[in-house]
Amino acid sequence: MLKDAVLAILAGFSQFSLYYLIFMNVVNSLLLALALRGIRRYRENLRSWPYKKMISSVYVPPVSILVPCYNEAKTIVDNIESLLAIEYSQFEVVVINDGSKDDTMKTLIRAFDLKKLDSPYKKEVHTKDVKGIYLSSKRINLKVVDKVNGGKADALNAGINVAKYPLFTAIDADSILEKNSLLKVVRPFIDDPERVVASGGIVRVLNGSKVKSGFIEEVGLSRKALPTFQTIEYLRAFLFGRMGWSELDSLLIVSGAFGVFRKSIVLKVGGYTENTIGEDMELILKMHRQMRQEEKDYEIVFVPDPVCWTQAPEDLKSLKGQRIRWHRGLMDSLLSNRSMILNPKYGVIGLVAMPYYFLIEMLGPVVEILGYISVIGSLFLGILNVEFALLYFTFAVLYGIFLSITSVMLEEYNFMKYDKISDYLRMMLYAVLENFGYRQLTTWWRLRAFFGYRPKKNQWGTIERKEFNTKITT
């Protein structure tokens, strides 16, 4: 009897896993269709938007660029130099040193000739103690906040307190903006200043590109496997995932590496939430909740063209830690805002986007790993036939290959960031290869994150950085 029960459970879960995959792929197909529509409309609108003329336009709102950093001595100077050179009419750079244990603060003082201020500032959001605020004698639009360690959210809140402009963007200290990226991601605020409360741009993998003095001289694809796999993942996540949700006015994530926010709304929701490692998603959900409760007409937008380049992990240990943090951050945000799920008060966000992230993104690793086990076990025990296993394989692997290849084609057709045909051919190859081992490995890490989840555990993640002023990888 026990054996029969076990066999029945295996067969039943195998059937369930197949239906789950079919449902997931149907939803992803709809998101892909929406993403294609959104990118096409974006390209059409570019023709009537002269970026060069807008750089000095009075209609472009000033922006505060917040750069939280923790132990970033190797890259922080090049990062700031690149930010100070962006094409934008009026902006300030606010670097927040969150109690770094390396020479980050000394490096900043020496590189930019920082002088400590004695004047007070308005503390609108609670943060850990600020030890000092510094101005650069070399760059008048550069501020540095030196504070006690409190985590990334706390560092960003300290930056918001010091920021003087109505819009702010949060940029990771290991990232580099293209010169016109900020203007492009601010564009929604110019086009519709009354409704837009946040916008986000695309983040791409920097590894393999040639960088000198904080500027990208040549875009290239890494010669190493791990960064190349992540290049495919980033293209898929942004060009297909976030573009699709943006078209539904249901964008739930604006990347912490590159997003622009209306400061007044962020202050209204209490700033970034501390004690969570998903502070970027948490902030967007709080903004959705606030605007819906006030019954305001608003918009949170994804813009597919402005690029922020970031270093991706090149070793398994760093990648594993990153993916576990990401999944726990996702769980933090979804569970702390679970009252929004299936709540008609929040429209498409509550009825479609939140359930998708709960069922597909959060629970997906559990169903996928158990699905592999049940299908292989059932096939081995003779419960299921080979035809069923092949059908499962088609939906589990081949459709993933299709989405990855489509994302690479979207990049090549619409944005053409890579100059070499060989780079695109390698991306096509890796779009296939990632489904045979790499994807299962990252899914396994997410499964471990799911079962090892503990609410509200906030930690800065650490990835081994490399200096920018050489080729990132060989």
Side-chain angles (χ1 to χ4, degrees):
M1 292 292 292
L2 179 60
K3 179 181 178 181
D4 291 340
V6 172
L7 293 178
I9 291 172
L10 276 176
F13 195 84
S14 297
Q15 296 280 351
F16 168 77
S17 299
L18 178 60
Y19 294 139
Y20 178 90
L21 284 172
I22 293 173
F23 167 75
M24 179 179 71
N25 290 334
V26 167
V27 176
N28 286 340
S29 297
L30 294 174
L31 287 174
L32 177 60
L34 289 168
L36 291 170
R37 185 185 73 175
I39 292 174
R40 184 180 68 251
R41 290 199 306 178
Y42 178 78
R43 284 170 54 87
E44 290 172 354
N45 291 337
L46 281 180
R47 300 168 187 166
S48 60
W49 218 86
Y51 283 107
K52 292 296 182 181
K53 293 182 180 179
M54 293 303 295
I55 291 173
S56 57
S57 172
V58 294
Y59 297 104
V60 177
V63 176
S64 297
I65 303 173
L66 309 186
V67 187
C69 60
Y70 177 73
N71 294 346
E72 302 283 357
K74 289 184 179 180
T75 61
I76 190 64
V77 173
D78 282 341
N79 174 257
I80 294 173
E81 290 286 2
S82 69
L83 291 176
L84 290 170
I86 61 173
E87 296 176 344
Y88 205 82
S89 57
Q90 188 176 2
F91 68 96
E92 63 172 354
V93 176
V94 181
V95 181
I96 309 99
N97 176 46
D98 191 49
S100 296
K101 296 179 181 178
D102 65 356
D103 291 332
T104 296
M105 195 62 203
K106 291 180 180 178
T107 301
L108 288 169
I109 292 173
R110 182 172 58 252
F112 298 103
D113 193 22
L114 300 179
K115 306 297 182 184
K116 191 173 183 179
L117 294 176
D118 294 324
S119 57
Y121 69 98
K122 188 176 181 181
K123 193 172 183 178
E124 297 184 88
V125 184
H126 174 76
T127 68
K128 296 286 187 180
D129 291 340
V130 171
K131 295 189 287 186
I133 299 175
Y134 297 77
L135 284 182
S136 170
S137 60
K138 294 181 178 179
R139 305 295 183 93
I140 59 173
N141 57 339
L142 173 63
K143 295 177 185 175
V144 176
V145 179
D146 187 26
K147 64 179 289 294
V148 174
N149 180 264
K152 186 176 181 180
D154 191 73
L156 287 167
N157 286 336
I160 292 171
N161 285 333
V162 174
K164 64 180 179 179
Y165 292 134
L167 300 181
F168 74 86
T169 179
I171 307 292
D172 284 350
D174 63 330
S175 303
I176 292 178
L177 290 183
E178 294 183 352
K179 285 191 174 183
N180 60 2
S181 289
L182 185 57
L183 184 60
K184 289 181 178 180
V185 82
V186 169
R187 174 183 169 177
F189 291 90
I190 302 171
D191 290 343
D192 198 348
E194 299 299 322
R195 296 179 66 248
V196 176
V197 297
S199 67
I202 188 170
V203 179
R204 293 175 181 264
V205 173
L206 179 63
N207 308 52
S209 297
K210 190 174 182 181
V211 180
K212 185 175 181 181
S213 300
F215 301 98
I216 297 178
E217 290 192 334
E218 179 184 345
V219 174
L221 190 65
S222 174
R223 309 310 297 178
K224 297 182 179 180
L226 280 184
T228 306
F229 281 134
Q230 292 170 80
T231 300
I232 306 302
E233 284 184 299
Y234 276 54
L235 288 175
R236 186 173 61 244
F238 284 92
L239 291 182
F240 136 66
R242 296 190 189 177
M243 188 75 247
W245 287 116
S246 181
E247 284 294 289
L248 283 176
D249 291 328
S250 301
L251 189 63
L252 298 190
I253 303 176
V254 169
S255 175
F258 189 29
V260 176
F261 307 89
R262 193 171 298 281
K263 181 180 174 181
S264 59
I265 305 300
V266 174
L267 288 175
K268 188 177 290 187
V269 301
Y272 287 88
T273 301
E274 299 178 37
N275 300 318
T276 178
I277 49 179
E279 72 285 330
D280 47 1
M281 183 176 184
E282 180 73 17
L283 177 62
I284 295 300
L285 288 175
K286 289 199 302 183
M287 295 175 76
H288 277 303
R289 181 189 292 271
Q290 180 70 33
M291 300 304 286
R292 289 277 179 170
Q293 288 176 348
E294 294 182 3
E295 298 183 349
K296 294 286 185 64
D297 186 19
Y298 73 101
E299 194 171 5
I300 296 176
V301 185
F302 173 73
V303 189
D305 188 20
V307 175
C308 173
W309 296 88
T310 187
Q311 286 193 46
E314 293 190 346
D315 61 276
L316 287 173
K317 181 181 178 181
S318 297
L319 181 62
K320 172 186 173 183
Q322 181 195 68
R323 296 314 164 90
I324 288 176
R325 286 195 311 275
W326 283 2
H327 201 73
R328 289 176 178 170
L330 171 71
M331 294 180 69
D332 258 356
S333 297
L334 289 176
L335 295 177
S336 62
N337 293 277
R338 57 188 177 275
S339 63
M340 296 174 65
I341 299 176
L342 296 178
N343 189 336
K345 178 180 178 181
Y346 298 99
V348 179
I349 295 165
L351 297 176
V352 179
M354 291 284 285
Y356 173 90
Y357 273 86
F358 186 89
L359 294 172
I360 305 299
E361 297 293 343
M362 192 180 95
L363 297 180
V366 179
V367 178
E368 184 171 345
I369 294 296
L370 293 181
Y372 289 139
I373 294 171
S374 64
V375 170
I376 294 173
S378 298
L379 184 65
F380 179 77
L381 294 172
I383 304 171
L384 299 177
N385 55 37
V386 175
E387 289 77 11
F388 181 92
L390 290 175
L391 185 62
Y392 184 88
F393 173 81
T394 299
F395 283 103
V397 177
L398 295 186
Y399 193 80
I401 293 173
F402 165 73
L403 287 179
S404 296
I405 289 178
T406 301
S407 299
V408 174
M409 293 175 66
L410 279 174
E411 146 61 29
E412 193 279 332
Y413 178 74
N414 292 287
F415 306 110
M416 295 180 291
K417 293 295 181 182
Y418 298 88
D419 295 327
K420 298 178 181 178
I421 296 177
S422 60
D423 284 344
Y424 284 105
L425 293 176
R426 287 187 67 239
M427 281 193 284
M428 288 289 192
L429 174 63
Y430 275 81
V432 176
L433 294 179
E434 70 159 342
N435 290 275
F436 299 94
Y438 176 80
R439 170 181 158 182
Q440 289 74 20
L441 179 61
T442 56
T443 301
W444 170 250
W445 288 334
R446 291 165 62 206
L447 179 72
R448 291 182 57 182
F450 180 87
F451 286 108
Y453 172 74
R454 298 294 181 272
K456 306 298 182 182
K457 296 295 183 182
N458 181 25
Q459 292 182 342
W460 273 78
T462 57
I463 296 175
E464 182 63 30
R465 305 296 186 200
K466 295 188 178 182
E467 295 182 5
F468 279 144
N469 51 347
T470 56
K471 228 178 184 182
I472 297 302
T473 59
T474 56

